[in-house]
Structures are given as structure tokens and as C-alpha cells.
Amino acid sequence: MLRHLTPAASGNDRRTSRSRRLPAILAAIAVTAAMIPALPAQAAAFKVLVFSKTAGFRHDAIPAGIQAIRDLGTGNDFAVDATEDSGAFTTANLAQYQAVVFLSTTGDVLNDSQQAAFQSYVDGGGGYVGVHAAADTEYNWPYYGQLMGAWFASHPAIQQATVRNEDRAHAATAHLATTWSRTDEWYNYRTNPRPNVRVLQSLDESSYSGGNMGDHPITWCRPQSSGRAFYTGLGHTQESYADPGFRSLLLGGIRYAARAVHADCRPETGYTTLYNGSTAGWSQAGPGSFANSDATLTSQGGMGMLWYSARELRSYSLKLDWKLTGDSNSGVIVGFPATGDPGAALNTGYEVQIDATDTADRTTGAIYGFKSADLAARDAALNPPGQWNTYELLVEGERLQVFLNGVKINDFTNTDPVRSLQQGHLGIQNHGSGDVVSFRNIRIKELTGTPGGTGPLRGTASGRCLDVSGASQANGAQAQLWDCNGQANQQWTSTAAGELRVYGTKCLDVNGGGTADGTAVIIWTCNGQNNQKWRHNADGTITAVGANKCLDVGGTANGTRARIWTCNGGANQRWSRG
């Protein structure tokens, strides 16, 4: 009989012991270690702490997991310490690690001071990796729930299921096909984490019995202040840690959290697929072509262009994953009218360059021939040839912003009357023989619903409206959340100057022009300064221009004060009109 215990006692209830199989499993792991190719080291070795303390049910796969991570470290240039001592969670001790792995921890495993040290560590730039029962941990610590993404609710019996690999650019999942059939213990979660994380894998609930979420994420990542978080629900069984596919997934998650590789882990919703295996709606212009295999387009010959001819696009967020081979050359062309001539497309649109080495205005992230990327930001976010990267090209009017693996690296405004970013077609370039580039998962969100105009601003997490406390019109009155009521103190007008006005003459204002996380957001007589200017983003966030941080609330209750905070794409930073 399967039983589930309460959270306080921990909820993993597979009581059948497999400890007698552990020596065989560990032997299999040793053999399998040689099967996973070692990735080249990045700038330097790093250290990882594996933490496996349990205050509830204890998984018999923990020893196999620790050994697997040690093997991965040996083969991939990182050192591993393992502990079940919560005393390791001090500011001084954590500072030596680039990532901390919670390996099937259960129950309450950290006291208040240890929690504070770990929160400071992650928010200050450290990495968190949660494996399987890490979701069955620290139920009474809200920060941990946010960091990890969603708490455990229940699970059916161990069985085979189909995993959908939604993001195949992340280092954890790039090695996998679009689907993956494997046996594990499949968690249901109390909430769906998708609004607050980048989902890498989800479960096909029709492929097994006992799933109850519908949309069922199982592996995900997210930025957390200045740090990074990665979680996978896989890894219950001892056999998992001898599985090359799972070991590579675990390796990619560790390397992401430790900043050895980069990825766009901002939450992503509302995108429509333009290419994920089918080239319907696409046309080849000029010589060469793209091979289409494994939901991946790979360039052959050229110079040509595969362009999306099905319809024109105006303001939009375009995302696509790309990978170079060696010192190759390619690009993404946007803002050109319908044409079967790749040269004409280049002469009437703009190319966002993909090139490992070239002059500043003709290398990765540049608007080719017009504007270099911010090279320091680009280099800090870039994965080298042979690894996947993700572009977001954000087109709003004649403004084109380029994000690489979630980091803004270029901001360009068209002033050429011969060209227009609003002409609407896009293409990917096959540059020529020897220039080999691959593309995956091309998707788009058309920007028709971003906040603008006049009316309430409703918080996504709370459903409540941005409100001036007490309906006050005095300078310094606090902005807060309150039940939407349509009153004048909840009517915000977006102006061409970037203001958010209320009562006609008062502006939403960052108190004192501050830039620190937690700085209060108030109203003040409009004065045109940067601390009163706000930028509406495609994902529903609103950025304070002067501080370059997001309009944020720390809760959902009436009276929760508005503030600015480092942008993380969470639901508490997203707003909509109405």
C-alpha cells in the first residue's frame, strides 16, 4: 500500500528497501562515468557542496547520488564536498562554493541563522540545485519555496513516463531529444511553478497513471536576485544515478547554477511556435539550405536565408536558440518586407549578428554594420562555439533590444528612413560553406497586451491593483496593493515620457531616486526625472528607468507596499491592465 505522510513528517513513502542493490548500482555508476564525455573546463575549477540531511523520509539513492556527483566533478573540473551537517551553512563557509546541491533533503533541515546565511549566499550570486525530494523540504520557509519553485504534494507508484523536453538549449537538456521515456517516481506539486520559472521539462500525464496537474513541469530553472536556481524532480531511484541521460541533466544543472554555462531562465509564457520541427510557413531565399532533423535546423552552403513568409510581424518578442560550429558566421534578420532576395532583406532590414570572431560591429550581438553589442555584457553571458545560446530580439516600434541568455547586450533605434523594423518579416541566415550554425525552438510573442494607456494596473500574483494608500494626493504617499475598486487612486496613465501618472499631476516615483532593492515606491509631483520614468516590458514587468529595477511587491495582501527590486520575472513583478 502506498502512503503519504504529512509535510512535517515528509512525504516520500516508497518504503521498499533496495539497499542490498547499492553495491551493484555503485559499480554501474563507475562504469557509466566513462560513458559521459567530459566538457572542457571554463575559466577555472569551482567547488560544489552536496547537502543531503533528512528530517523525514530518507531516500536510499542518496549515496549513489553523492558518488555520481563526485564522478561528474572529477570528469568536469569541479571539486565536491558532501555533508549532512547544517552547521556548514555559515556565510564564511558557503563563500567557497559556487553551488549547493540539496540532494533529496526532507523536512526542516536549517535553523533561522543557517537559513539567513543561505539566502544571503544565493541572493549574492551563489547557485542552488535541488534534486527530487528537495521539494519536500523547509515547508515553513517562504524564501525556500520561492527559490526551489514548488513544494511536493504527492506521487503515484514508480513507473515509466514520457518527459517532454521543452527547452533544448539549456545545458541540462540540450543532449536530449524532444521526448524522453524513463522510469522514476513522478512528483505532483502543490502549485504550478511555470509562471515564475523557465520550464525545461514537463510530464505527459497521458503516458502514466497518477499525474494530477494537467500542465506538469518536472525540471526548471530561474534567476534568484544575483544568484541562480535549478530543480529537477527526477532522481528518486538508485538506477537514475547510473543513467547517462540523467547524469548529463544533473551535470548541466550544476554547471548552470555555478555559472560555468549560461542560459535564459527567465519565466516564459504566451509564446507561439514558429519552428520546432516543422518548416510550414518558412521559405528558402537564395542558395544553400537548412537541414531539418531532430527539431533542429542546420545551415548548409549559402549565402541564403530561411525566412518566415507566412505573415508579417510588427511589435514582438522573438526567441530562438542557436549554436555555432567553430568560427562560423550567421545571423537573424528582422524588419524587411516580403522578398525572395536575401540581399534585399539585408539592405532593408537589420541583421543581429552571430559570429564568434569579427570586428565589434560584426560579431555576436551586434546590429551588423550599425552598432556593437555591449561587449563586456555579451562576453559575460555568452556560451562558446559548440554550446547552445538563446537570443531574445525585442522589437517595439523602431526600437530593437537584444538579449543573450537573458542578459541585455544591445539597444538600437532605427533612424534610417529607408528601413523600418515595422515592415515585419524575419529570417535566419545560411552564410556559406564552412559556416555551420544550428537553430532550435523559434517562438514569438506579439506585443498587443503590454501595459499602456489609462486604467488600473493589476498584479499578476495577487490579482489586486496598484493603489495610492488612503487615496492620498500628498507627495510621499505610499503605493501599495489593494482590492481593485476603480477609484481615482487606482487609475494610472502611461505617458509618452515614460511616466505613470495618477490624479493627473502626480507620478509614480522611486523614493529619493534610490537604487537599492526594497526602495519604496511613492507618488510625487511630476518633475521629469529618471526616478519617475518607467518602461513596460514584453513579459508584463515594469522597470524603473533610473534604478534599472522592477516594480515589485513582497506579498499579495491588501496594504502590501510597492517597491523596486532586482528584476527576476516573478509573478510579483508582473502587471496587466484592467
Side-chain angles (χ1 to χ4, degrees), residues 279-524:
T279 55
W282 293 81
S283 301
Q284 177 69 32
S289 63
F290 281 86
N292 182 14
S293 176
D294 188 29
T296 305
L297 294 166
T298 303
S299 64
Q300 303 176 136
M303 176 180 295
M305 178 182 69
L306 185 68
W307 64 293
Y308 190 66
S309 56
R311 59 190 173 91
E312 292 193 16
L313 304 160
R314 294 292 184 257
S315 292
Y316 55 86
S317 166
L318 171 71
K319 289 191 177 184
L320 48 77
D321 307 328
W322 56 267
K323 179 177 71 172
L324 285 179
T325 299
D327 185 13
S328 293
N329 187 316
S330 184
V332 184
I333 303 97
V334 296
F336 61 89
T339 177
D341 179 354
L346 290 169
N347 289 333
T348 54
Y350 289 100
E351 179 183 359
V352 181
Q353 180 72 331
I354 299 172
D355 189 332
T357 59
D358 208 328
T359 58
D361 66 336
R362 298 185 178 188
T363 189
T364 297
I367 313 302
Y368 185 89
F370 289 89
K371 186 176 183 180
S372 169
D374 177 334
L375 295 182
R378 190 277 310 276
D379 290 348
L382 180 66
N383 293 322
Q387 297 181 23
W388 288 92
N389 292 275
T390 299
Y391 264 165
E392 179 189 8
L393 309 185
L394 182 58
V395 176
E396 297 173 292
E398 295 297 333
R399 183 184 184 191
L400 168 60
Q401 298 176 74
V402 181
F403 296 79
L404 174 66
N405 295 324
V407 175
K408 184 175 175 179
I409 61 168
N410 210 332
D411 194 338
F412 171 77
T413 299
N414 171 52
T415 58
D416 184 346
V418 177
R419 303 169 189 256
S420 175
L421 287 165
Q422 296 298 287
Q423 289 182 312
H425 285 283
L426 61 93
I428 55 176
Q429 184 184 71
N430 53 302
H431 188 269
S433 298
D435 288 311
V436 180
V437 63
S438 296
F439 293 93
R440 283 179 173 171
N441 195 15
I442 305 174
R443 64 267 194 204
I444 197 162
K445 179 193 286 188
E446 296 186 74
L447 306 182
T448 57
T450 54
T454 298
L457 284 170
R458 188 184 298 270
T460 297
S462 66
R464 292 188 164 95
C465 283
L466 187 66
D467 173 286
V468 181
S469 180
S472 173
Q473 297 189 27
N475 282 343
Q478 176 71 46
Q480 63 177 10
L481 287 179
W482 202 265
D483 291 333
C484 299
N485 55 35
Q487 300 300 311
N489 63 321
Q490 295 183 355
Q491 302 297 311
W492 301 92
T493 298
S494 299
T495 72
E499 303 160 323
L500 278 168
R501 289 192 173 224
V502 64
Y503 309 129
T505 60
K506 301 290 184 178
C507 279
L508 194 67
D509 178 291
V510 179
N511 191 22
T515 59
D517 282 350
T519 302
V521 173
I522 59 175
I523 63 167
W524 201 271

Side-chain angles (χ1 to χ4, degrees), residues 14 23 57 67 71 79 129 136 215 217 223 248 253 258 354 458 521 534:
R14 298 295 299 171
F57 179 72
Q67 186 59 50
D71 292 343
V129 176
D136 191 25
D215 175 27
S248 290
I354 299 172
R458 188 184 298 270
V521 173
W534 304 85

Side-chain angles (χ1 to χ4, degrees), residues 193-244:
R194 189 179 293 273
N196 301 311
V197 303
R198 173 60 175 144
V199 175
L200 306 180
Q201 297 179 308
S202 58
L203 295 178
D204 178 355
E205 289 191 345
S206 70
S207 67
Y208 73 105
S209 299
N212 65 13
M213 295 180 64
D215 175 27
H216 196 142
I218 197 68
T219 301
W220 55 79
C221 60
R222 66 185 303 271
Q224 172 60 42
S225 191
S226 296
R228 295 178 171 189
F230 173 91
Y231 170 81
T232 181
L234 283 64
H236 173 85
T237 66
Q238 295 177 26
E239 290 83 357
S240 292
Y241 297 93
D243 174 0

Side-chain angles (χ1 to χ4, degrees), residues 37-52:
L39 296 177
Q42 301 301 301
F46 57 90
K47 290 182 70 175
V48 169
L49 178 65
V50 179
F51 182 56
S52 55

Side-chain angles (χ1 to χ4, degrees), residues 77-351:
D77 199 24
F78 63 89
V80 177
D81 291 338
T83 188
E84 299 202 351
D85 181 4
S86 301
F89 285 74
T90 67
T91 299
N93 188 56
L94 291 174
Q96 65 183 301
Y97 300 106
Q98 279 63 53
V100 178
V101 181
F102 277 53
L103 178 61
S104 283
T105 50
T106 54
D108 295 329
V109 291
L110 301 177
N111 65 28
D112 290 349
S113 64
Q114 293 158 359
Q115 290 175 356
F118 187 55
Q119 180 172 340
S120 177
Y121 163 78
V122 175
D123 286 352
Y128 163 84
V129 176
V131 180
H132 193 57
D136 191 25
T137 302
E138 294 290 346
Y139 287 94
N140 296 316
W141 184 19
Y143 174 84
Y144 183 81
Q146 175 190 15
L147 175 68
M148 186 269 306
W151 274 303
F152 166 84
S154 63
H155 66 77
I158 295 172
Q159 59 192 292
Q160 182 172 293
T162 298
V163 179
R164 298 187 182 105
N165 298 307
E166 296 188 19
D167 183 324
R168 298 171 66 220
H170 195 286
T173 47
H175 63 290
L176 297 170
T178 54
T179 60
W180 186 23
S181 181
R182 71 184 310 275
T183 297
D184 214 316
E185 181 181 74
W186 304 110
Y187 277 7
N188 298 309
Y189 299 95
R190 296 183 177 188
T191 56
N192 188 331
R194 189 179 293 273
N196 301 311
V197 303
R198 173 60 175 144
V199 175
L200 306 180
Q201 297 179 308
S202 58
L203 295 178
D204 178 355
E205 289 191 345
S206 70
S207 67
Y208 73 105
S209 299
N212 65 13
M213 295 180 64
D215 175 27
H216 196 142
I218 197 68
T219 301
W220 55 79
C221 60
R222 66 185 303 271
Q224 172 60 42
S225 191
S226 296
R228 295 178 171 189
F230 173 91
Y231 170 81
T232 181
L234 283 64
H236 173 85
T237 66
Q238 295 177 26
E239 290 83 357
S240 292
Y241 297 93
D243 174 0
F246 175 71
R247 286 162 64 93
S248 290
L249 181 143
L250 190 56
L251 174 63
I254 292 171
R255 286 169 57 79
Y256 163 74
R259 299 183 180 274
V261 293
H262 308 288
D264 187 351
C265 283
R266 297 173 298 169
E268 184 174 307
T269 57
Y271 283 77
T272 300
T273 296
L274 299 185
Y275 168 79
N276 198 19
S278 171
T279 55
W282 293 81
S283 301
Q284 177 69 32
S289 63
F290 281 86
N292 182 14
S293 176
D294 188 29
T296 305
L297 294 166
T298 303
S299 64
Q300 303 176 136
M303 176 180 295
M305 178 182 69
L306 185 68
W307 64 293
Y308 190 66
S309 56
R311 59 190 173 91
E312 292 193 16
L313 304 160
R314 294 292 184 257
S315 292
Y316 55 86
S317 166
L318 171 71
K319 289 191 177 184
L320 48 77
D321 307 328
W322 56 267
K323 179 177 71 172
L324 285 179
T325 299
D327 185 13
S328 293
N329 187 316
S330 184
V332 184
I333 303 97
V334 296
F336 61 89
T339 177
D341 179 354
L346 290 169
N347 289 333
T348 54
Y350 289 100
E351 179 183 359

